[in-house]
Amino acid sequence: AQSVTQLDSHVSVSEGTPVLLRCNYSSSYSPSLFWYVQHPNKGLQLLLKYTSAATLVKGINGFEAEFKKSETSFHLTKPSAHMSDAAEYFCVVSYSSASKIIFGSGTRLSIRP
Amino acid sequence: GAGVSQSPRYKVAKRGQDVALRCDPISGHVSLFWYQQALGQGPEFLTYFQNEAQLDKSGLPSDRFFAERPEGSVSTLKIQRTQQEDSAVYLCASSARRGGGQETQYFGPGTRLLVL
């Protein structure tokens, strides 16, 4: 079955330190992978997406993610956290043969001053 | 241009009441999706339209849930005889072309439904 697993439900980092949010997907066939961010009382916003081009994908607000087929992973990183990054982050997988996308359970990112 | 809009933003219903949730997708977008997001969880797929055709309704949890998009633009999600377990945020998304694969979905702010 198609699935995506976010390994941490909550991550807390200090402002100015690196961020790592982990995501693994099931590998039935070539996926498209996305990261979305959800701020309180706001809609989901696309951060970045992987669609079988470059394996290192750069997104908005300094975020990037690397597609690693051998590890079936698509971890999200940022070199230096900012207070405004505090939000819920969702890893999402989509397969070309399906109409729907599948969300992970989410990782809540907290930033300590 | 305007993004995806949803109304109402908040809805409180008494158990057994019928509710209707509206979604206005981005103008010209072919595909429209509905998701249900329970508290503390990721969104779960409910149903998918390509223009006015409902191509996938495999995620609708029961026959109390019904969605339509009669003219291929605005969509309505209707829940009949609401139950407490229907309390959730209902998200609508649209994409420019057919759903799935590499298409980016653009999400509305959601309708928060509370059933008492």
Side-chain angles (χ1 to χ4, degrees):
Chain A
Q2 302 159 358
S3 66
V4 58
T5 302
Q6 292 185 245
L7 298 162
D8 307 292
S9 59
H10 182 215
V11 169
S12 180
V13 302
S14 296
E15 189 174 21
T17 65
V19 174
L20 170 64
L21 305 183
R22 299 182 293 167
C23 173
N24 287 92
Y25 65 93
S26 63
S27 59
S28 297
Y29 26 87
S30 297
S32 294
L33 292 155
F34 308 76
W35 276 98
Y36 280 85
V37 61
Q38 187 174 40
H39 288 93
N41 298 316
K42 291 191 176 180
L44 286 155
Q45 181 184 19
L46 179 70
L47 278 178
L48 50 81
K49 70 177 181 180
Y50 165 77
T51 57
S52 75
T55 56
L56 182 61
V57 182
K58 294 188 183 298
I60 62 172
N61 300 335
F63 284 94
E64 62 182 38
E66 186 172 7
F67 174 72
K68 292 187 176 180
K69 187 174 182 178
S70 61
E71 299 176 9
T72 62
S73 69
F74 190 59
H75 301 333
L76 181 70
T77 60
K78 182 173 180 178
S80 176
H82 191 271
M83 295 299 293
S84 61
D85 295 328
E88 188 87 17
Y89 291 79
F90 292 97
C91 183
V92 177
V93 64
S94 174
Y95 297 91
S96 58
S97 63
S99 58
K100 59 188 176 186
I101 62 176
I102 300 168
F103 282 78
S105 55
T107 298
R108 181 165 61 92
L109 177 62
S110 300
I111 311 296
R112 301 187 299 271
Chain B
V4 178
S5 61
Q6 294 185 245
S7 61
R9 292 293 311 277
Y10 303 91
K11 177 70 179 177
V12 179
K14 293 182 179 179
R15 191 161 59 96
Q17 188 178 354
D18 296 350
V19 298
L21 312 180
R22 177 187 169 105
C23 172
D24 283 83
I26 293 172
S27 178
H29 274 197
V30 167
S31 296
L32 186 146
F33 303 79
W34 284 98
Y35 296 86
Q36 181 189 58
Q37 186 176 18
L39 189 64
Q41 298 186 19
E44 292 191 358
F45 171 83
L46 291 177
T47 187
Y48 159 58
F49 290 86
Q50 187 172 316
N51 296 308
E52 68 279 3
Q54 189 174 18
L55 298 187
D56 188 344
K57 53 181 181 180
S58 61
L60 295 176
S62 77
D63 59 7
R64 297 186 295 104
F65 286 71
F66 172 76
E68 61 183 6
R69 194 186 185 199
E71 297 179 358
S73 55
V74 171
S75 178
T76 303
L77 176 66
K78 298 179 179 178
I79 309 173
Q80 298 177 324
R81 304 181 303 282
T82 53
Q83 303 294 315
Q84 287 186 322
E85 61 263 28
D86 300 335
S87 297
V89 175
Y90 291 85
L91 297 168
C92 176
S94 69
S95 65
R97 294 187 290 271
R98 71 166 187 85
Q102 305 177 4
E103 282 293 297
T104 296
Q105 295 187 22
Y106 298 88
F107 285 81
T111 294
R112 185 176 298 274
L113 173 65
L114 176 62
V115 181
L116 301 176

